[in-house]
Amino acid sequence: MQPGDARFNEEASSLGDGVAVLTVSMDLPFAQKRWCGAEGIKRVTTLSDYRTAAFGNAYGVLLPDLRLLARAVFVVDQGGIIRYIQLVPEIASEPDYKAALAAAKKLTAS
């Protein structure tokens, strides 16, 4: 997780109770919890793909040589349909948070 992730998660969490924010990484659960605590993030559900890499394989974001997940944003509607995907070309780069938030806001408006 990167510094900008905290701001994105905070803004995404402010979209209302109908929006769930999930963060999936290869970090172990204790490291995810520590990061959320240090950043003051409370309304984000963290999920670890460390053990099986099932999420990374299923969504095509596993970088097997590094055993990391590519940085990506998925906006999924209430029916489970992916409505927006943003795959960040460099793992050290941050996503376009404004575009991802706009996609989520569009779903909450309908």
Side-chain angles (χ1 to χ4, degrees):
M1 294 183 209
Q2 303 280 325
D5 291 341
R7 187 177 136 259
F8 170 74
N9 289 329
E10 180 181 318
E11 289 188 36
S13 294
S14 73
L15 293 175
D17 292 335
V19 175
V21 179
L22 309 174
T23 298
V24 183
S25 75
M26 295 299 275
D27 294 331
L28 291 169
F30 78 87
Q32 293 173 329
K33 184 176 181 179
R34 182 180 62 222
W35 182 84
C36 286
E39 295 295 328
I41 295 172
K42 295 177 176 59
R43 287 198 52 209
V44 173
T45 300
T46 57
L47 303 167
S48 177
D49 204 23
Y50 177 79
R51 189 170 297 201
T52 65
F55 176 86
N57 281 313
Y59 283 80
V61 294
L62 179 66
L63 304 172
D65 293 343
L66 300 173
R67 191 147 169 79
L68 293 173
L69 301 180
R71 293 193 77 187
V73 177
F74 297 93
V75 176
V76 183
D77 69 14
Q78 290 183 335
I81 298 171
I82 298 172
R83 298 295 182 179
Y84 174 85
I85 298 173
Q86 183 184 142
L87 185 59
V88 180
E90 286 291 326
I91 200 162
S93 299
E94 294 191 28
D96 180 347
Y97 296 117
K98 287 183 182 181
L101 288 167
K105 286 178 184 176
K106 184 178 176 183
L107 287 178
T108 61
S110 51

